[in-house]
Each structure stands twice: as C-alpha cells, then as structure tokens.
C-alpha cells in the first residue's frame, strides 16, 4: 500500500485481488476505479501504477466533497520485463537494461549498458539522481545514476559489496541527501559534495522528507536540521 495526495487530502492506494483500490483517508470513503494493476508506487505523492502492458499515472481530482480518479498513459511496456520503482521504470529488454525516469516533465527513457545482465532489486529517484540496488555475480551493489537537467544523459557511480537493503535517498530542494552504506550522509548540491558523520545516524535508518529531512530507526521518527 502507498499514500498518494489529492491536493492536501491523503489517499490510500493498494492492490486487492489484482485490482486497484483507493480510499479517501479524510472521509474514509472509497474512490471508484476499475483497473487491473500488478504494481504501484507514489513518487512525491503522485500515484503511478503498472497495468499489464502499460504504466499509468492515476490523477486524483477533488470535485466538491468527492475525489475522482482518472488515468493517463505514461509508457507502454513489456509486462514480464518491467519493474516499477519509486519514480522509475526499469526494463530488461532481452538483456539490455533501460531506465525510464518518471518526472513532472514526462517520461525519459535512457539506455544503461552498465546494468546489462544484472538484476535490479530496488531503487528510487530523488531530484536528478536515481539510486538502485542491484544483484550481480553473487553480490549486491548500489548504483547511482546522476542525470543532467533534461535526463538525456547521466554519469554513473557504483559501490560494490553492500548489504541488500533499499537505497536511501531524498532531495531537499536543490540539496540531495544520500545515506551511504557506512552510515554517513552524503550531501550534494550541484557539483559540491560533503559527507556528514553523526553518532545518531546508522546505516539502517530510512530517509523521508516533508520539506525537511526525516530519519526513521527502530520504529521512531526523527527530524534532522541542516547547519552550515
């Protein structure tokens, strides 16, 4: 299940018996939609689903006291070769790896030859960077794809032999925050990079944002303030 947003109204989305289910969390009322779905995600509160051979954006519209749902096609895909991640579509096209960024400006597919033959297990997009957990030759690696402004090209970084956990990455405006495997935070603004170490931060933290930086560990949510 994921939480999407209709303006300031939270909407719960989940898959029930192979179909999309939606509920307005403010009123508790179900939201009518009839759609076969096998994967879903909500990057930045925008609901995106995979329905057979299509990736769709589900638009949530407030009409009086009701919320209505409508779909828009984002991409046509091969059903068995496609995985939907947080802000990303990853595809294995007969051994050739493609990563499609789902941005407000549209979808941006790029060929990533460095990922040919590896299994992409998890990942997320934050601003112009995609962080991926991949399985290769009996080990796990973290791969960062740093895109240019229009997502037409990228540079790549790879950290080998990491624990098999989902990459932790958020953007705070133009500041990118990445939790490294050693438990340190890497802060990046443009080409400037700084690494921060704090005793309160561990590699098993999860990163979130509500406009500021939030860290979750052991069932507790912490707020973090940035100081220059």
């Amino acid at each position: 299940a994921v939480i999407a947003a209709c303006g300031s109204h939270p909407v719960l989305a989940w898959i029930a018996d192979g179909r999309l289910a939606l509920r307005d969390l403010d009123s508790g009322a179900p939201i009518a939609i009839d759609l076969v779905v096998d994967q879903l995600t909500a990057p930045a509160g925008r609901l995106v689903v995979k329905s057979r051979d299509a990736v769709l954006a589900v638009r949530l519209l407030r009409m009086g006291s009701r919320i209505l749902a409508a779909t828009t096609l984002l991409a046509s895909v091969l059903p068995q070769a496609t995985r939907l991640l947080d802000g990303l579509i990853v595809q294995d096209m007969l051994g050739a790896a493609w990563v499609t960024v789902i941005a407000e400006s549209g979808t941006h597919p790029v060929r990533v030859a460095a990922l040919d033959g590896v299994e992409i297990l998890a990942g997320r997009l934050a601003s112009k960077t995609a962080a991926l957990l991949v399985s290769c030759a009996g080990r796990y690696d973290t791969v960062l794809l740093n895109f240019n402004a229009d997502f037409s090209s990228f540079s790549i970084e790879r950290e080998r032999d990491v624990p098999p956990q989902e990459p932790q990455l958020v953007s705070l405006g133009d500041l990118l925050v990445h939790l490294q495997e050693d438990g340190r935070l890497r802060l990046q603004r443009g080409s400037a990079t700084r690494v921060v170490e704090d005793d309160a931060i561990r590699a098993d933290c999860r990163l979130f944002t509500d406009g500021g930086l939030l860290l979750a560990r052991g069932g507790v949510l912490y707020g973090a303030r940035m100081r220059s």
Side-chain angles (χ1 to χ4, degrees):
V2 299
I3 301 292
C6 177
S8 60
H9 301 278
V11 172
L12 179 65
W14 72 100
I15 299 172
D17 297 323
R19 309 189 84 82
L20 180 63
L22 300 172
R23 185 174 297 278
D24 180 348
L25 289 180
D26 285 337
S27 68
I31 300 169
I33 190 167
D34 184 16
L35 185 64
V36 173
V37 165
D38 53 77
Q39 298 177 42
L40 79 170
T41 186
R46 296 181 298 133
L47 183 58
V48 178
V49 302
K50 179 177 166 292
S51 177
R52 297 182 174 134
D53 61 352
V55 173
L56 306 168
V58 179
R59 295 180 292 112
L60 301 169
L61 309 171
R62 189 80 178 180
M63 298 291 289
S65 62
R66 300 173 57 203
I67 295 179
L68 305 180
T71 61
T72 301
L73 179 67
L74 295 179
S76 297
V77 297
L78 295 177
Q80 302 304 318
T82 302
R83 182 158 189 172
L84 186 59
L85 303 178
D86 191 354
L88 303 165
I89 306 167
V90 296
Q91 297 185 81
D92 182 351
M93 308 290 283
L94 299 176
W98 285 81
V99 174
T100 298
V101 172
I102 304 171
E104 292 188 6
S105 58
T107 55
H108 305 272
V110 293
R111 173 84 170 88
V112 188
L115 298 180
D116 288 354
V118 307
E119 184 180 5
I120 301 174
L121 302 175
R124 63 170 59 181
L125 177 75
S127 186
K128 297 292 191 296
T129 297
L132 304 171
L133 175 70
V134 305
S135 175
C136 178
R139 69 169 192 271
Y140 300 98
D141 296 349
T142 296
V143 175
L144 297 181
L145 305 178
N146 300 301
F147 292 96
N148 66 347
D150 63 1
F151 298 101
S152 61
S153 64
F154 59 90
S155 62
I156 188 167
E157 302 174 56
R158 191 164 188 157
E159 186 174 1
R160 301 177 185 273
D161 293 314
V162 302
Q165 60 188 34
E166 184 178 356
Q168 297 300 309
L169 185 78
V170 298
S171 60
L172 308 176
D174 61 351
L175 178 66
L176 186 72
V177 182
H178 176 220
L179 180 61
Q180 300 182 148
E181 304 306 328
D182 58 8
R184 298 189 298 170
L185 288 177
R186 188 175 86 161
L187 312 179
Q188 183 175 342
R189 179 178 282 116
S191 59
T193 300
R194 178 183 176 188
V195 175
V196 175
E197 188 171 357
D198 191 294
D199 291 340
I201 301 173
R202 300 284 187 271
D204 61 351
C205 288
R206 294 178 63 84
L207 302 186
F208 302 92
T209 179
D210 62 351
L213 179 62
L214 302 174
L215 301 97
R217 191 181 75 215
V220 180
L221 188 64
Y222 302 89
R225 291 185 297 172
M226 297 295 177
R227 294 184 299 180
S228 57

